Amino acid sequence: MDDAYHFTATLEKFDSNLWGHHITVPDAVAQVFLAQDAKRVVCTLNDKDAFQCALMPKGEGRYFININKKLRDALRLQIGSP
């Protein structure tokens, strides 16, 4: 795996009815994909489950990836989990 794409993030939850659980993508990682005009990516969490997702704008030039309930349950992730 290319280290440019590997990072550790903490599971967070928006205070919103629209978006829920997510991880924030470090700016340097997001820029690698955005420079190639690629907003759809394949993400692997905890070296276990790969899934297709999108880099979503978080505001102020930051990006996030949504983490759905099925995946959170399968990996036993809770808010604050790395």
Side-chain angles (χ1 to χ4, degrees), residues 4-73:
Y5 307 130
H6 187 259
F7 63 92
T8 299
T10 301
L11 184 67
E12 304 172 67
K13 186 171 190 292
F14 285 115
D15 185 22
S16 164
N17 291 331
L18 181 60
W19 302 114
H21 293 78
H22 67 283
I23 55 172
T24 299
V25 179
D27 295 337
V29 175
Q31 291 309 315
V32 169
F33 294 101
L34 297 172
Q36 300 172 42
D37 200 30
K39 292 183 181 176
R40 298 288 305 168
V41 297
V42 175
C43 180
T44 303
L45 295 180
N46 297 342
D47 295 322
K48 295 180 182 172
D49 286 339
F51 63 101
Q52 293 184 12
C53 58
L55 292 174
M56 303 291 293
K58 191 173 184 177
E60 300 179 8
R62 306 209 56 212
Y63 288 84
F64 70 94
I65 295 173
N66 280 312
I67 309 297
N68 67 31
K69 182 169 177 26
K70 180 179 176 183
L71 191 53
R72 291 191 321 267
D73 288 349

